[in-house]
Amino acid sequence: MTSDDTVALDDPVGESLRGHHAALARRLGRAATYLPGVATFSAVSADPDATDWADLAQLLGGGEFADMFSCPAIPPPDWAPVFVLEGRQMIWPAGMHPAQVRTATDTDVVELGAADVPAILELVERTQPGPFWPRTHELGTYLGIRVDGKLVAMAGERLRPPGWTEISAVCTAPEARGQGHAGRLLSTLVARILARDERPCLHVAEANTGALALYERLGFETRKHVTFRGFRTP
């Protein structure tokens, strides 16, 4: 992958819905969104017109939430703003390998699946790493660490623009912090993503200084600053 391939990261939601996550997408015209329960991320074309916004509103239904993620386009005035959040997009440098690679002997790092959804949602509720729904785990591989049978840390794969995998839902229960769980999970995911000849990326709120410091320490670099926006359809 060359540096030119970062262009897919300018529209990570749309690129994912058109490609790797097409089976999890709903589409109408040039608008697309995820199936209910998977994610609320939505996308329009690079130069959306009134028809594109109308198509997305029809896909979602009236009064529904549209998470436009980092899309810079602003919908019509009758779409009610829900949130605006400053953040950044970070990427794993080309040719770099993780400092520590977890192996199969790390028995406390486990893959999470449908049976783990109640525990996942409980951890998400306690830690608030970002949006996570009952079917979000279908977007990619999610890994967790359990202590005495209880899920205390998690991280996984979310958006999948061509050549990239976004790492997301990085969270650790308050009582389990400071033990390196997040770093171990991130290193494991980085190694897995690189092994399939893709590069990791992630998105983080600018105010989350602790997460930013961790990502930079592991080797991630800022590609660009972004603004995350959400709206409610008319």
Side-chain angles (χ1 to χ4, degrees):
M1 183 183 299
T2 67
S3 59
D4 291 338
D5 291 314
T6 62
V7 69
L9 296 178
D10 289 336
D11 180 20
V13 175
E15 292 283 3
S16 298
L17 287 165
R18 288 187 290 270
H20 193 86
H21 287 159
L24 298 172
R26 294 179 287 164
R27 307 190 61 82
L28 181 61
R30 298 194 298 175
T33 189
Y34 281 93
L35 294 173
V38 176
T40 54
F41 300 133
S42 301
V44 288
S45 65
D47 55 342
D49 55 23
T51 298
D52 296 329
W53 292 112
D55 286 344
L56 182 56
Q58 183 176 335
L59 274 178
L60 295 171
E64 294 298 324
F65 178 56
D67 190 332
M68 299 308 299
F69 203 66
S70 58
C71 174
I74 304 298
D78 55 350
W79 288 56
V82 175
F83 76 88
V84 177
L85 182 66
E86 298 304 320
R88 66 176 76 181
Q89 182 184 78
M90 305 184 76
I91 61 175
W92 189 260
M96 180 176 170
H97 294 281
Q100 61 179 125
V101 179
R102 313 310 300 183
T103 68
T105 60
D106 295 308
T107 55
D108 56 342
V109 176
V110 297
E111 289 196 15
L112 303 174
D116 300 296
V117 168
I120 291 172
L121 294 178
E122 180 183 1
L123 181 61
V124 167
E125 177 66 25
R126 296 181 65 201
T127 58
Q128 299 295 313
F132 201 101
W133 309 101
R135 295 183 60 190
T136 299
H137 68 280
E138 296 178 26
L139 295 174
T141 298
Y142 282 82
L143 302 178
I145 292 176
R146 294 182 180 274
V147 174
D148 297 328
K150 185 177 180 62
L151 185 66
V152 299
M154 179 181 74
E157 302 171 351
R158 191 170 63 179
L159 299 178
R160 293 287 299 276
W164 298 85
T165 294
E166 180 203 27
I167 296 176
S168 182
V170 182
C171 56
T172 304
E175 70 275 10
R177 290 172 183 164
Q179 300 177 40
H181 293 326
R184 294 173 58 210
L185 290 169
L186 282 161
S187 294
T188 304
L189 287 168
V190 167
R192 289 183 176 213
I193 294 166
L194 293 175
R196 59 176 183 251
D197 200 27
E198 294 182 346
R199 278 171 65 190
C201 64
L202 52 83
H203 297 83
V204 60
E206 201 67 53
N208 194 349
T209 55
L212 280 168
L214 171 63
Y215 301 149
E216 289 176 341
R217 187 164 66 249
L218 289 173
F220 283 90
E221 297 177 346
T222 297
R223 175 176 180 253
K224 67 176 181 176
H225 294 269
V226 296
T227 300
F228 304 111
R229 294 184 176 91
F231 301 87
R232 198 162 296 281
T233 59

PDB file of all heavy atoms in Angstrom, residues 19 36 53 93 108 136 144 154 176 197 199 203 215 222 231:
ATOM      1  N   GLY A  19     -18.117  -1.406   0.032  1.00  0.00           N
ATOM      2  CA  GLY A  19     -17.178  -2.505  -0.136  1.00  0.00           C
ATOM      3  C   GLY A  19     -17.357  -3.623   0.869  1.00  0.00           C
ATOM      4  O   GLY A  19     -18.298  -4.410   0.788  1.00  0.00           O
ATOM      5  N   PRO A  36     -30.267  -1.806  10.807  1.00  0.00           N
ATOM      6  CA  PRO A  36     -30.597  -1.490  12.199  1.00  0.00           C
ATOM      7  C   PRO A  36     -29.895  -2.450  13.159  1.00  0.00           C
ATOM      8  O   PRO A  36     -29.814  -3.651  12.913  1.00  0.00           O
ATOM      9  CB  PRO A  36     -32.120  -1.688  12.247  1.00  0.00           C
ATOM     10  CG  PRO A  36     -32.565  -1.470  10.829  1.00  0.00           C
ATOM     11  CD  PRO A  36     -31.472  -2.022   9.980  1.00  0.00           C
ATOM     12  N   TRP A  53     -29.865  13.715   0.150  1.00  0.00           N
ATOM     13  CA  TRP A  53     -30.331  13.866   1.534  1.00  0.00           C
ATOM     14  C   TRP A  53     -31.742  13.309   1.693  1.00  0.00           C
ATOM     15  O   TRP A  53     -32.058  12.692   2.715  1.00  0.00           O
ATOM     16  CB  TRP A  53     -30.272  15.331   1.952  1.00  0.00           C
ATOM     17  CG  TRP A  53     -28.873  15.861   2.074  1.00  0.00           C
ATOM     18  CD1 TRP A  53     -28.270  16.792   1.280  1.00  0.00           C
ATOM     19  CD2 TRP A  53     -27.892  15.464   3.042  1.00  0.00           C
ATOM     20  NE1 TRP A  53     -26.969  17.010   1.687  1.00  0.00           N
ATOM     21  CE2 TRP A  53     -26.712  16.205   2.763  1.00  0.00           C
ATOM     22  CE3 TRP A  53     -27.885  14.562   4.101  1.00  0.00           C
ATOM     23  CZ2 TRP A  53     -25.542  16.085   3.520  1.00  0.00           C
ATOM     24  CZ3 TRP A  53     -26.726  14.425   4.853  1.00  0.00           C
ATOM     25  CH2 TRP A  53     -25.574  15.180   4.567  1.00  0.00           C
ATOM     26  N   PRO A  93       1.758   3.780  10.640  1.00  0.00           N
ATOM     27  CA  PRO A  93       2.738   4.101   9.595  1.00  0.00           C
ATOM     28  C   PRO A  93       3.049   2.909   8.695  1.00  0.00           C
ATOM     29  O   PRO A  93       3.148   1.767   9.172  1.00  0.00           O
ATOM     30  CB  PRO A  93       3.978   4.524  10.401  1.00  0.00           C
ATOM     31  CG  PRO A  93       3.451   4.928  11.733  1.00  0.00           C
ATOM     32  CD  PRO A  93       2.284   4.036  11.994  1.00  0.00           C
ATOM     33  N   ASP A 108      -5.795 -15.151  28.027  1.00  0.00           N
ATOM     34  CA  ASP A 108      -6.789 -14.225  28.558  1.00  0.00           C
ATOM     35  C   ASP A 108      -7.286 -13.244  27.501  1.00  0.00           C
ATOM     36  O   ASP A 108      -8.237 -12.503  27.734  1.00  0.00           O
ATOM     37  CB  ASP A 108      -6.230 -13.449  29.765  1.00  0.00           C
ATOM     38  CG  ASP A 108      -4.947 -12.700  29.437  1.00  0.00           C
ATOM     39  OD1 ASP A 108      -4.317 -13.038  28.422  1.00  0.00           O
ATOM     40  OD2 ASP A 108      -4.595 -11.794  30.200  1.00  0.00           O
ATOM     41  N   THR A 136     -23.203  -4.622  16.430  1.00  0.00           N
ATOM     42  CA  THR A 136     -21.960  -3.971  16.016  1.00  0.00           C
ATOM     43  C   THR A 136     -20.814  -4.963  15.897  1.00  0.00           C
ATOM     44  O   THR A 136     -19.921  -4.797  15.049  1.00  0.00           O
ATOM     45  CB  THR A 136     -21.595  -2.851  17.011  1.00  0.00           C
ATOM     46  OG1 THR A 136     -22.649  -1.870  17.013  1.00  0.00           O
ATOM     47  CG2 THR A 136     -20.292  -2.169  16.630  1.00  0.00           C
ATOM     48  N   GLY A 144     -11.427  -9.439  23.698  1.00  0.00           N
ATOM     49  CA  GLY A 144     -11.646  -9.018  25.073  1.00  0.00           C
ATOM     50  C   GLY A 144     -10.701  -9.691  26.041  1.00  0.00           C
ATOM     51  O   GLY A 144     -10.017 -10.661  25.706  1.00  0.00           O
ATOM     52  N   MET A 154     -11.833  -4.424  26.177  1.00  0.00           N
ATOM     53  CA  MET A 154     -12.289  -4.810  24.853  1.00  0.00           C
ATOM     54  C   MET A 154     -11.717  -3.855  23.810  1.00  0.00           C
ATOM     55  O   MET A 154     -11.421  -2.692  24.096  1.00  0.00           O
ATOM     56  CB  MET A 154     -13.819  -4.763  24.811  1.00  0.00           C
ATOM     57  CG  MET A 154     -14.435  -5.121  23.472  1.00  0.00           C
ATOM     58  SD  MET A 154     -16.249  -5.008  23.515  1.00  0.00           S
ATOM     59  CE  MET A 154     -16.468  -3.231  23.528  1.00  0.00           C
ATOM     60  N   ALA A 176     -10.009  -2.094  36.329  1.00  0.00           N
ATOM     61  CA  ALA A 176      -8.965  -2.873  35.658  1.00  0.00           C
ATOM     62  C   ALA A 176      -7.977  -1.994  34.902  1.00  0.00           C
ATOM     63  O   ALA A 176      -7.117  -2.503  34.180  1.00  0.00           O
ATOM     64  CB  ALA A 176      -9.595  -3.889  34.708  1.00  0.00           C
ATOM     65  N   ASP A 197      -2.396  -7.932   5.241  1.00  0.00           N
ATOM     66  CA  ASP A 197      -1.917  -6.938   4.289  1.00  0.00           C
ATOM     67  C   ASP A 197      -2.821  -5.712   4.237  1.00  0.00           C
ATOM     68  O   ASP A 197      -3.050  -5.134   3.175  1.00  0.00           O
ATOM     69  CB  ASP A 197      -1.762  -7.544   2.896  1.00  0.00           C
ATOM     70  CG  ASP A 197      -0.833  -6.722   2.014  1.00  0.00           C
ATOM     71  OD1 ASP A 197       0.050  -6.032   2.556  1.00  0.00           O
ATOM     72  OD2 ASP A 197      -1.012  -6.746   0.773  1.00  0.00           O
ATOM     73  N   ARG A 199      -3.772  -1.955   6.695  1.00  0.00           N
ATOM     74  CA  ARG A 199      -3.194  -1.086   7.715  1.00  0.00           C
ATOM     75  C   ARG A 199      -4.267  -0.651   8.695  1.00  0.00           C
ATOM     76  O   ARG A 199      -5.415  -0.403   8.307  1.00  0.00           O
ATOM     77  CB  ARG A 199      -2.535   0.135   7.077  1.00  0.00           C
ATOM     78  CG  ARG A 199      -1.143  -0.148   6.558  1.00  0.00           C
ATOM     79  CD  ARG A 199      -0.614   1.008   5.737  1.00  0.00           C
ATOM     80  NE  ARG A 199      -0.421   2.217   6.513  1.00  0.00           N
ATOM     81  CZ  ARG A 199      -0.146   3.413   5.958  1.00  0.00           C
ATOM     82  NH1 ARG A 199      -0.051   3.524   4.646  1.00  0.00           N
ATOM     83  NH2 ARG A 199       0.034   4.468   6.715  1.00  0.00           N
ATOM     84  N   HIS A 203     -10.141   6.453  14.975  1.00  0.00           N
ATOM     85  CA  HIS A 203     -10.655   7.804  15.164  1.00  0.00           C
ATOM     86  C   HIS A 203     -10.827   8.045  16.655  1.00  0.00           C
ATOM     87  O   HIS A 203     -11.246   7.145  17.388  1.00  0.00           O
ATOM     88  CB  HIS A 203     -11.986   7.980  14.432  1.00  0.00           C
ATOM     89  CG  HIS A 203     -11.875   7.831  12.944  1.00  0.00           C
ATOM     90  ND1 HIS A 203     -11.890   6.586  12.317  1.00  0.00           N
ATOM     91  CD2 HIS A 203     -11.715   8.751  11.955  1.00  0.00           C
ATOM     92  CE1 HIS A 203     -11.754   6.761  11.010  1.00  0.00           C
ATOM     93  NE2 HIS A 203     -11.663   8.059  10.763  1.00  0.00           N
ATOM     94  N   TYR A 215      -2.369   5.845  21.894  1.00  0.00           N
ATOM     95  CA  TYR A 215      -2.230   5.541  20.479  1.00  0.00           C
ATOM     96  C   TYR A 215      -0.885   6.026  19.930  1.00  0.00           C
ATOM     97  O   TYR A 215      -0.230   5.325  19.149  1.00  0.00           O
ATOM     98  CB  TYR A 215      -3.380   6.170  19.688  1.00  0.00           C
ATOM     99  CG  TYR A 215      -4.748   5.703  20.131  1.00  0.00           C
ATOM    100  CD1 TYR A 215      -5.855   6.540  20.033  1.00  0.00           C
ATOM    101  CD2 TYR A 215      -4.945   4.425  20.654  1.00  0.00           C
ATOM    102  CE1 TYR A 215      -7.120   6.114  20.429  1.00  0.00           C
ATOM    103  CE2 TYR A 215      -6.207   3.998  21.065  1.00  0.00           C
ATOM    104  CZ  TYR A 215      -7.291   4.850  20.950  1.00  0.00           C
ATOM    105  OH  TYR A 215      -8.527   4.439  21.351  1.00  0.00           O
ATOM    106  N   THR A 222      -1.129  10.947  13.552  1.00  0.00           N
ATOM    107  CA  THR A 222      -2.294  11.700  13.108  1.00  0.00           C
ATOM    108  C   THR A 222      -2.232  11.929  11.607  1.00  0.00           C
ATOM    109  O   THR A 222      -1.236  12.433  11.086  1.00  0.00           O
ATOM    110  CB  THR A 222      -2.385  13.046  13.835  1.00  0.00           C
ATOM    111  OG1 THR A 222      -2.565  12.809  15.235  1.00  0.00           O
ATOM    112  CG2 THR A 222      -3.556  13.870  13.319  1.00  0.00           C
ATOM    113  N   PHE A 231     -27.071  14.086  13.196  1.00  0.00           N
ATOM    114  CA  PHE A 231     -28.286  14.849  12.936  1.00  0.00           C
ATOM    115  C   PHE A 231     -29.512  13.955  13.121  1.00  0.00           C
ATOM    116  O   PHE A 231     -29.407  12.724  13.131  1.00  0.00           O
ATOM    117  CB  PHE A 231     -28.290  15.403  11.498  1.00  0.00           C
ATOM    118  CG  PHE A 231     -27.131  16.302  11.196  1.00  0.00           C
ATOM    119  CD1 PHE A 231     -25.923  15.794  10.738  1.00  0.00           C
ATOM    120  CD2 PHE A 231     -27.246  17.673  11.373  1.00  0.00           C
ATOM    121  CE1 PHE A 231     -24.853  16.642  10.452  1.00  0.00           C
ATOM    122  CE2 PHE A 231     -26.184  18.521  11.099  1.00  0.00           C
ATOM    123  CZ  PHE A 231     -24.986  18.008  10.641  1.00  0.00           C
TER     124      PHE A 231
END
